Amino acid sequence: MFSPGISIAPAGDSPARSAQALAALRAALGHGFISDERFTWYAAPREDRPFRAALAALDDATGAVVGALTVEVVTAESLRDSFMDSYGRALGQAAIATLEPGRTGLIKSIAVAPAYRGRGVARALIQRGLGDLAAHGAERYYALAWESERDGCLLRGQLTAAGFRTALRLERFWRQDSVAHGYVCPACGHPCVCAARVMVR
């Protein structure tokens, strides 16, 4: 189950937890990768919109946020947008073409503090995220796992253990997005030249 000493809770339960979860995601993915507005879209979901959530991994001993995850049940628009300018290419893969709006969950963004890596934090976040997505109608799942020359694909093992398999690798996936939004990738700088490993379950 979950890693000993780690609890998973909604990131939006308190302003302090929300701020720490957003800081964790920005530290791992680049400061401008997730705007305050976009994070609030996950951390403070509304009943009149498709399900989405921001989760925080908490160190039980200190209460500190040591990891964060965002997930959503995709609409047709958010499914297309998640692939940015690679959507047409992605649809050429059978495993991706079968993803259905309203019945597909996206593991959107995930981060774990460096001192807590290798302790099951990512696994706990992914398990909870998948459970929440399933409870809101998801039957299939996908993730766009960041892959850099420096670090490789840090989440590949965790996603594979959760039943995901690689469907497609997209070179320089975040380059245009990093230029448009001005964020600096922690792995390769600016613009981001990391690849995305599209993993499907």
Side-chain angles (χ1 to χ4, degrees), residues 33-117:
F33 183 71
I34 301 175
S35 67
D36 291 355
E37 179 182 48
R38 176 56 63 176
F39 184 75
T40 299
W41 193 85
Y42 288 98
R46 288 175 22 188
E47 293 293 327
D48 62 335
R49 293 180 180 168
F51 174 75
R52 66 236 176 239
L55 300 172
L58 309 172
D59 182 319
D60 291 339
T62 65
V65 173
V66 298
L69 171 77
T70 57
V71 296
E72 65 182 278
V73 174
V74 294
T75 62
E77 180 181 8
S78 61
L79 175 62
R80 182 180 62 251
D81 289 350
S82 71
F83 287 98
M84 295 188 274
D85 60 345
S86 299
Y87 185 60
R89 181 176 172 205
L91 282 181
Q93 301 297 315
I96 297 170
T98 58
L99 300 177
E100 296 180 56
R103 300 174 67 184
T104 298
L106 168 62
I107 302 290
K108 177 70 174 168
S109 299
I110 186 168
V112 176
Y116 286 80
R117 290 176 187 163

Side-chain angles (χ1 to χ4, degrees), residues 80-166:
R80 182 180 62 251
D81 289 350
S82 71
F83 287 98
M84 295 188 274
D85 60 345
S86 299
Y87 185 60
R89 181 176 172 205
L91 282 181
Q93 301 297 315
I96 297 170
T98 58
L99 300 177
E100 296 180 56
R103 300 174 67 184
T104 298
L106 168 62
I107 302 290
K108 177 70 174 168
S109 299
I110 186 168
V112 176
Y116 286 80
R117 290 176 187 163
R119 294 173 53 179
V121 176
R123 181 183 70 242
L125 283 164
I126 292 167
Q127 287 177 350
R128 171 66 182 270
L130 291 173
D132 287 357
L133 289 167
H136 288 84
E139 298 174 359
R140 299 206 64 206
Y141 310 90
Y142 73 108
L144 299 165
W146 211 296
E147 184 171 343
S148 72
E149 286 188 15
R150 184 188 79 186
D151 301 325
C153 185
L154 295 176
L155 290 173
R156 184 178 181 186
Q158 297 296 340
L159 289 166
T160 299
F164 287 78
R165 63 181 177 80
T166 299

